[in-house]
Amino acid sequence: MDIHLSDPRHDRLARSIAERVAERGGRARYVGGAVRDHLLGLRIEDLDIEVIGLGPDDVHAAVGEVAKVSLVGSSFGVFKVHGAPIDVSLPRTERKVGRGHRGFEVEVDPHLPPERAAARRDFTINAIAVDPLTDEVVDPFGGRADLDARVLRHTSDQFREDPLRVLRGMQFVARFGLAPAPATVAVAAGIEPEGLAPERVFEEWSKLVRRGVAIGAGLEFLRATGWHHHTPELAALVGVPQDPEWHPEGDVWTHTGHVMDAFAAARLGDDEEDLVVGFACLCHDLGKPATTAWIDGRWRSPGHEAAGVPPTRAFIGSMTNQRGLADDVARLVADHLKPDQLYQADSTPRAVRRLAQRVVRLDRLLRVAHADRNGRPPAPDDGFPAADWLREQAAALDVADRAPEPIVRGRDLIDLGLAPGPQFKRLLDACFEAQLDGDVTSVDDGLALVRRLLDDI
C-alpha cells in the first residue's frame, strides 16, 4: 500500500522519519485518517505516524535528525513536526477516569501489541496501520473490508468512553457515504454528551457542513442514535408537516436533509462562504415548528422566516461564540424566501437594495434559495426564474456580493462646513435611506438633501 502525502516535500520527510526510526530499532507505521483517505482515493494532506519499539527519548532523537520537533503532549507521547502536517506518537492505552473529551488516563507503551493500540481508535476505518518501508498492513478490526462495504463500525467497547465520537460518526457518514452498522447505532444511542467542549462540537458540525457529501444521511445517523435531541432546535423539525403539493418529500426534518444534500452538491470549496451558507441551509426552517398550522385546508407556516432567527442563534451559540457567523446566518434565515417574494411582486430596485442591505450578500442568499428549492424530491426541477431575475437585478445595482455602501460620508458633511456632532448620524442615516430608495445617486444629491434637512430644523 503505497501511501503518499500530497506535498512531495512532506512525503519525503515522512519517509525519512520512518527510516531514522528503523535505524534505531523501531518501526514507524502510518495510521488513522491518512490510511483511510488513501484507500478512498482521496488526497492526503496530513499524517499521523505511530512508532513502535522506541521510548520517547529515542523517538525525539530519531525525528530530530531530519526535522525540528516539539513534544506537544508529554503524557500522550505526541510529537509535532515543525513546518509539516505530521504528528508522531507512541502507542498508548486510554482509560476513562473523568468527564468529557479530556477525562482519560493515558499510559504510553512502546511495546503495546498493535491490536490493543488500535482498539482505542473510534472506527474500524480509522484503525488501519501501514508500514511505509515494508508495506505491511495491520488491520485488526477489518477496516479495509468495512471501507469496501461502505460500513461505519466502531472498533471496541472503548467507543463509549468519548461522546465526541458520535458526532464524528455523523460527519464520517456524510463525508464518505457510509452506512452505520446497527451495533454502532445502538452503542451511540447509549452515550450521553457529558462534558463535551463546545468548540469540539462545533468542529464536528463544521466538518459536516464543509465536507459532507451526503449530509442528509449524516443527520439521519444523528436521529437514529437519538442524538438529535441534544440539538433541540433541529429535533423540533421531526414530524412537522408540510403542504404535500409543494413539499412531496415529507416533513421539515426530511426536507432539511435534502436541502443540505443540494447545498453540498453546489458547494464552492471556500470554507468561509460554505460555512455561512451551509449553516443557513441547515437552519433555514427552524421557525416552522412554532408557526406551522392547518390554515384554509393546507399546512402553512406564516412568518417562519423571522421565527427562525432565535432558534438559529441558539443553535449556533451553543457551539461557538463567533458572533459574526451567527449574524451572517441569521440574516439569510430571516430572508430566505425573499427571492421568490420580490420576483412575484415585480419589485423595484429599491426593494432589491434594501434586501442587499439586510443580508449583506445576495449571492449567499441565492445559494440558500437554490438549495431550498432543490430539496423537494421528487418535485421536478422546473427552473428558478426568481433567482435568475434577482441575480440580474443585483448585478445591475452592483450589490451581488456586497451591501450598498453609503455615498455620503462624514467627510462630505465636514466639507460642507458642518462640525462633527450628534446630528451627523441623523443626517447620514437620512442620506443612506434616500440612497436605498434611489433618490440619492451622488454626493451632490446627498448634500442637497442635507441642506434641505438643515433648513427644516
Side-chain angles (χ1 to χ4, degrees), residues 1 27 29 129-138:
M1 190 185 298
R27 295 188 69 181
R29 290 192 176 120
V130 177
D131 186 323
L133 303 183
T134 67
D135 284 340
E136 179 192 6
V137 177
V138 179

Side-chain angles (χ1 to χ4, degrees), residues 81-261:
V81 177
H82 293 211
I86 300 173
D87 288 346
V88 182
S89 63
L90 279 72
R92 63 184 186 264
T93 58
E94 298 174 349
R95 186 170 64 89
K96 187 73 168 176
V97 294
R99 288 171 56 84
H101 187 70
R102 297 184 178 89
F104 289 91
E105 181 178 85
V106 177
E107 182 178 348
V108 173
D109 183 353
H111 304 288
L112 191 68
E115 295 78 9
R116 289 193 60 197
R120 70 174 181 83
R121 298 190 178 275
D122 49 12
F123 299 103
T124 62
I125 62 173
N126 294 329
I128 311 167
V130 177
D131 186 323
L133 303 183
T134 67
D135 284 340
E136 179 192 6
V137 177
V138 179
D139 184 14
F141 296 102
R144 295 181 75 175
D146 283 341
L147 267 183
D148 289 342
R150 286 297 193 270
V151 171
L152 184 76
R153 191 188 316 276
H154 64 292
T155 57
S156 69
D157 284 343
Q158 289 181 251
F159 183 87
R160 306 172 187 271
E161 297 177 347
D162 185 357
L164 190 68
R165 290 171 169 174
V166 180
L167 296 181
R168 283 172 60 80
M170 170 189 71
Q171 53 107 343
F172 284 149
V173 165
R175 286 168 59 190
F176 305 127
L178 306 175
T184 297
V185 172
V187 169
I191 301 173
E192 292 296 320
E194 48 85 17
L196 281 182
E199 62 271 16
R200 300 303 300 271
V201 173
F202 180 69
E203 182 180 352
E204 300 306 321
W205 280 97
S206 296
K207 288 179 180 177
L208 175 79
V209 168
R210 290 186 289 105
R211 301 183 188 177
V213 177
I215 300 180
L219 294 176
E220 279 303 307
F221 172 77
L222 205 68
R223 186 163 76 102
T225 62
W227 264 59
H228 65 308
H229 290 300
H230 302 306
T231 54
E233 298 83 10
L234 291 177
L237 303 179
V238 177
V240 176
Q242 302 185 106
D243 176 13
E245 181 179 343
W246 182 247
H247 283 287
E249 74 280 5
D251 67 3
V252 181
W253 171 271
T254 303
H255 169 62
T256 299
H258 288 304
V259 170
M260 292 307 295
D261 289 345

Side-chain angles (χ1 to χ4, degrees), residues 313-335:
R313 290 190 177 279
F315 173 56
I316 295 176
S318 69
M319 298 182 286
T320 177
N321 59 6
Q322 296 183 41
R323 181 65 180 272
L325 174 63
D327 289 344
D328 288 343
V329 173
R331 291 186 187 101
L332 298 175
V333 169
D335 277 315

